């Protein structure tokens, strides 16, 4: 049966309804009214036209009124605003925007797709010159014109939602200095606080000024500048302002017609998208929908749901009874180098609903690579899953990363829509090839970790269970290697590398609350299992490791890094050119490819390379690890190397550095011979080894090797009984006075003859100690001495003590220096740790 169908509004909802209506029936009369000049355009692409990512304006226009009319035989009337609805007589009144002329049009069925508009609260001065919103093509034209004609130097974006951040990125791309001011304590409301920190960290790294928790109280425009007064009283001055505070449904027309509305001005519809009037349907941003996860009511302004609703609406107008089953709110956005995506319900919403973690829901946060780590350009993703305590329901997910985010969020969104559980995530068979994924896809890994949590095989700590600015009432166990500590040291932590953990369990208290750290969480899980299997009662793993930890506390670590000083004479040398194509580039003689290496791989590879090259050599390092560029900056400062430049080449972070610091005066540096680079003065370690007891000497060499591995200069000064450590094990044919010879016979000859200070038990205790060390793969004292030599530890034999003890140079091992207390004191003055053992 032929119908006369009137559609109010175009773009996503209205245009898709009209197209579907015509495909279903050729005879109906379809009229579309649009108050603007464009019926279908890519409003999600508007920010990218401002930044010239989308260069051609016409690319934004999905279809024109003429094309729509010809292709679908739809009577398209642009610049025509529907100003009233007479639902009793089934008529609408239309005003021609350009002439003001009004007329009426009847309908059999009416479709309202009036969308939403940018929110403009009643703030003083909000309509002043230089203040813009971005919602339509004309808005884009106005902003582009302003930038072209006025050449603004800076801009303030009010609001940190999807549009606000996309606008900020594109204004930055257009050459403006950008500040984002957000009234909430985080950007990106759909994601949880800790996940938003990853986005904020990236924005700060891209030189965007970020102000959080401070809304606008007043605008004032004068002399071509806009002054923004914030709620705190702080003022900002900008050449232009973009408002991105939020949107409100354009529901006044429906309200005036007497249709049922909610308290926020959205149209209430049933599951068939029908309003309180059986002849009127509504869809898109203007309606209240069912929230899919928890079945509450919500308003979600997204193009995807609006398009689907258009199809359902058209089907139902022609007699179908198709239900719209709710909106998950699946969304994705590009913000500078990262993509942020979410689906379903976030954790903070569950908390507001009165749900409790552990009882009603659980969370898992993991770090994964976008594809196989050994294949070039693999990058990190942080994934968060929120699920029921039994794992049968997935409430939602959030992902932040450089690559591969979209397909993972879509996979999880699909699983949720089909009623899947965390067990389905681990069983999904997903496409794998090294350029695209891993044999265990990140989505599978979420399922594995979630199952481990449910089965109590691992417990993840909350991201804020420890705070670097506060002394924490827990034992923080850092199981990373010494070289990784050069990049980031966790305040108040205990460092036991994973490979040494089983041997050093006695250093930890089984009753303490222990939070285990590594770079991304994999080693921490292994360490936690070891601890739990050995009777430790309260062990949790910090989720996604130090990479995540450093980003969620980015403000603290940025301040910490800024406080770290560089030798004064070298400060001019340490200049970093971020993404500056015009800057002169040093020519590297050594290329190091760290593409795809998982943290701490890139730093470890740089550490190994720097030991092998000469002072002044320039090294170019390519890595896909997202935190590498900032990590290597810290590493250079701490090891005394020179960071020459950092730039982004596609997905690669390319770092150029030089071994050593040119022209730094010797008075301000000490050579760290184990890695061959200069480090700041007063950073050395000196040890006086007075004892000849095996256990005390063992402790001396453990400390010395640890300090040397951190790139610190180490001096060991052996005196009196400590000289026996340096004696050769073989008897030397040296003529000595009788008393000197008697001393030599009574003292142990080399490290293999040293005895324990306690429990020697006639040699049985010492032998047992050596056997235990061998069985547990602990380096022998002989091996530790050799490693110290290899690592450049300076070993000085006290010549005065040698004379007293009757020990000659020929009796001591090769590589030992001979000097007096003056040499030792000179090294001690340039150290910040001095031990007497």
């Amino acid at each position: 049966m032929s119908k006369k169908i009137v559609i109010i509004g175009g773009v996503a909802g209205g245009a898709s309804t009209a197209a579907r209506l015509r495909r279903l029936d050729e005879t109906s009369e379809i009229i579309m009214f649009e108050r603007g000049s464009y019926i279908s355009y890519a409003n999600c692409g508007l920010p990218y036209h401002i930044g010239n990512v989308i260069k051609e304006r016409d690319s934004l226009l999905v279809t024109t009124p003429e094309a729509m009319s010809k292709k679908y035989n739809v009577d398209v009337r642009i610049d025509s605003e529907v100003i009233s609805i007479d639902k009793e007589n089934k008529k609408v009144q239309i005003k021609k925007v350009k002439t003001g002329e009004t007329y009426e049009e009847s309908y059999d069925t009416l479709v309202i797709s009036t969308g939403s508009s940018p929110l403009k609260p009643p703030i003083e001065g909000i309509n002043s010159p230089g203040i813009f919103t971005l919602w339509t093509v004309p808005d884009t034209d106005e902003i582009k014109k302003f930038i072209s004609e006025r050449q603004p130097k800076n801009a303030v974006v009010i609001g940190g939602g999807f549009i606000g951040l996309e606008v900020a990125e594109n204004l930055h791309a257009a050459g403006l200095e950008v500040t984002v001011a957000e009234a909430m304590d985080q950007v990106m409301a759909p994601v949880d606080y800790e996940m938003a920190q990853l986005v904020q960290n990236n924005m700060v790294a891209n030189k965007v000024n970020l102000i959080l928790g401070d809304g606008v109280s007043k605008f004032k425009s004068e002399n071509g500048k806009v002054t923004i007064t914030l709620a705190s009283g702080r003022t900002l001055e900008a050449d232009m302002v973009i408002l991105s505070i939020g949107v409100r449904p354009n529901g006044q027309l429906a309200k005036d017609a007497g249709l049922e509305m909610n308290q926020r001005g959205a149209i209430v519809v049933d599951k068939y998208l029908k309003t309180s009037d059986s002849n009127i349907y509504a869809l898109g941003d203007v309606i209240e929908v069912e929230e899919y996860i928890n079945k509450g009511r919500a308003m979600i302004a997204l193009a995807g749901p609006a398009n689907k609703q258009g199809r359902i609406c058209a089907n139902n107008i022609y007699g179908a009874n198709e239900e719209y089953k709710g909106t998950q709110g699946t969304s994705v956005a590009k913000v500078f180098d990262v993509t942020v995506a979410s689906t379903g319900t976030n954790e903070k919403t569950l908390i507001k609903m009165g749900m409790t973690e552990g009882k009603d829901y659980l969370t898992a946060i993991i770090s994964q690579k976008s594809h196989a780590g050994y294949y070039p350009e693999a990058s990190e993703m942080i994934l968060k899953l929120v699920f029921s305590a039994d794992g049968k329901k997935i409430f939602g997910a959030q992902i932040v990363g450089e690559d591969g985010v979209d397909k993972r969020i879509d996979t999880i969104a699909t699983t949720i829509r089909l009623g899947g559980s965390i067990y389905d995530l681990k069983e999904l068979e997903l496409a794998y090839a090294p350029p695209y994924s891993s044999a265990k896809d990140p989505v599978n890994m979420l399922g594995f970790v979630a199952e481990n949590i449910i089965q109590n095989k691992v417990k993840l700590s909350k991201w804020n269970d420890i705070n670097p600015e506060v002394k924490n009432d827990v034992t923080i166990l850092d199981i990373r290697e010494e070289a990784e500590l050069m990049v980031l040291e966790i305040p108040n932590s205990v460092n036991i590398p994973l490979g040494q953990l089983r041997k050093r369990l006695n250093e930890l208290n089984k009753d303490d609350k222990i939070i285990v750290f590594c770079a991304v969480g994999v080693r921490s899980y292994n360490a936690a299992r070891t601890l739990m299997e050995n009777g430790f009662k309260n062990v949790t793993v910090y989720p996604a490791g130090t990479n995540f930890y450093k980003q969620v506390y980015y403000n603290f670590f940025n301040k910490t890094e800024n406080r770290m000083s560089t030798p004064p004479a070298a400060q001019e040398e340490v200049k970093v050119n971020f993404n500056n194509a015009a800057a002169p580039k040093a020519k590297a003689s050594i290329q190091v490819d760290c593409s795809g290496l998982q943290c701490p791989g890139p730093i470890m590879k740089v550490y190994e390379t720097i030991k092998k090259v000469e002072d002044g050599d320039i090294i170019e390092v390519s890595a896909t690890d997202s935190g590498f560029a900032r990590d290597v900056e810290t590493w250079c400062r701490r090891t005394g190397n020179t960071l020459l430049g950092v730039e982004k080449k596609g997905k690669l972070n390319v770092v150029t550095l030089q071994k050593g610091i040119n022209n730094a005066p010797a008075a301000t540096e000490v050579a760290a011979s184990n890695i061959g680079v200069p480090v700041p003065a007063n950073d050395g370690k000196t040890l006086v080894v007075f004892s000849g007891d095996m256990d005390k000497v063992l402790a001396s060499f453990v400390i010395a090797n640890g300090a040397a591995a951190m790139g610190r200069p180490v001096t060991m000064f052996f005196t009196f009984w400590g000289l026996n450590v340096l004696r050769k094990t073989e008897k030397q044919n040296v003529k000595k006075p009788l008393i000197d010879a008697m001393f030599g016979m009574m003292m142990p000859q080399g490290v293999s003859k040293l005895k324990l200070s306690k429990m020697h038990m006639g040699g049985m205790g010492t032998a047992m100690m050596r056997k235990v060390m061998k069985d547990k793969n602990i380096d022998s004292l002989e091996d530790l001495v050799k490693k110290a030599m290899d690592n450049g530890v300076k070993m000085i034999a006290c010549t005065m003590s040698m004379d007293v003890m009757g020990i000659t140079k020929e009796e001591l091992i090769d590589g030992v220096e001979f000097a007096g207390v003056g040499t030792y004191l000179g090294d001690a003055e340039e150290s910040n740790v001095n031990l007497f053992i």
Side-chain angles (χ1 to χ4, degrees), residues 84-381:
S84 68
I85 300 170
D86 180 355
K87 58 187 176 62
E88 282 74 23
N89 296 304
K90 299 173 69 173
K91 292 181 180 179
V92 294
Q93 187 175 29
I94 303 99
K95 180 178 74 172
K96 293 184 178 180
V97 174
K98 293 182 178 179
T99 65
E101 177 188 351
T102 63
Y103 66 98
E104 289 184 343
E105 193 71 59
S106 64
Y107 64 83
D108 294 320
T109 302
L110 180 66
V111 178
I112 302 175
S113 180
T114 46
S116 57
S117 297
L119 192 61
K120 294 184 74 172
I123 299 172
E124 181 183 340
I126 198 167
N127 293 313
S128 300
I131 301 177
F132 305 88
T133 58
L134 180 61
W135 201 245
T136 66
V137 174
D139 291 341
T140 310
D141 294 339
E142 191 177 357
I143 293 170
K144 290 276 286 184
K145 181 180 179 183
F146 184 91
I147 293 174
S148 176
E149 294 180 353
R150 301 289 187 88
Q151 298 290 307
K153 298 291 187 293
N154 57 59
V156 172
V157 177
I158 307 297
F162 283 92
I163 295 174
L165 299 194
E166 288 171 349
V167 169
E169 177 184 353
N170 282 281
L171 288 174
H172 183 274
L176 280 72
E177 180 184 339
V178 180
T179 297
V180 174
E182 167 58 55
M184 291 175 54
D185 61 354
Q186 67 167 82
V187 300
M188 288 289 183
V191 303
D192 287 315
Y193 181 86
E194 69 273 23
M195 299 297 283
Q197 304 311 296
L198 311 183
V199 181
Q200 292 164 195
N201 176 53
N202 185 260
M203 293 173 67
V204 171
N206 279 281
K207 314 303 180 188
V208 171
N209 304 312
L210 199 55
I211 300 171
L212 300 172
D214 206 355
V216 178
S217 64
K218 184 172 65 174
F219 294 101
K220 184 179 180 180
S221 182
E222 59 181 2
N223 301 322
K225 297 279 187 180
V226 180
T227 301
I228 306 106
T229 303
L230 302 179
S232 63
R234 179 179 180 179
T235 60
L236 308 171
E237 189 176 82
D239 295 328
M240 67 182 301
V241 173
I242 307 291
L243 298 177
S244 184
I245 300 172
V247 297
R248 58 172 177 78
N250 294 329
Q252 191 62 44
L253 182 65
K255 182 180 180 181
D256 292 342
L259 297 177
E260 184 182 353
M261 313 291 290
N262 71 7
Q263 291 182 338
R264 296 175 60 190
I267 303 171
V268 176
V269 296
D270 64 12
K271 58 186 177 182
Y272 305 110
L273 301 175
K274 192 175 288 187
T275 70
S276 55
D277 185 300
S278 61
N279 296 305
I280 303 176
Y281 291 79
L283 68 155
D285 295 2
V286 76
I287 68 170
E288 174 190 85
V289 297
E290 181 180 78
E291 188 272 309
Y292 182 77
I293 303 296
N294 299 303
K295 307 307 178 185
R297 307 304 292 177
M299 295 177 342
I300 301 174
L302 292 170
N307 274 284
K308 295 177 184 67
Q309 290 161 13
R311 181 184 180 90
I312 293 171
C313 183
N315 291 348
N316 291 341
I317 287 172
Y318 285 132
N321 287 306
E322 186 174 348
E323 297 181 14
Y324 182 69
K325 297 179 181 178
T327 301
Q328 281 174 237
T330 305
S331 58
V332 64
K334 175 184 177 295
V335 184
F336 290 97
D337 306 317
V338 301
T339 298
V340 53
S342 66
T343 188
T345 304
N346 55 37
E347 184 181 5
K348 60 190 174 187
T349 299
L350 297 182
I351 293 171
K352 287 178 183 177
M353 293 170 57
M355 296 176 71
T356 304
E357 185 175 15
K359 176 185 175 184
D360 303 306
Y361 73 91
L362 297 167
T363 64
I365 298 177
I366 65 172
S367 172
Q368 289 287 295
K369 289 291 185 182
S370 57
H371 58 249
Y374 57 83
Y375 189 86
E377 300 190 354
S379 59
E380 184 189 42
M381 291 186 292

Side-chain angles (χ1 to χ4, degrees), residues 713-726:
V714 182
T715 297
M716 301 181 76
F717 187 71
F718 296 85
T719 183
F720 289 97
W721 314 117
L723 288 169
N724 292 312
V725 177
L726 305 180

Side-chain angles (χ1 to χ4, degrees), residues 40-54:
S40 186
Y41 58 89
N43 52 357
C44 296
L46 300 180
Y48 299 100
H49 184 46
I50 290 173
N52 285 323
V53 176
I54 299 174

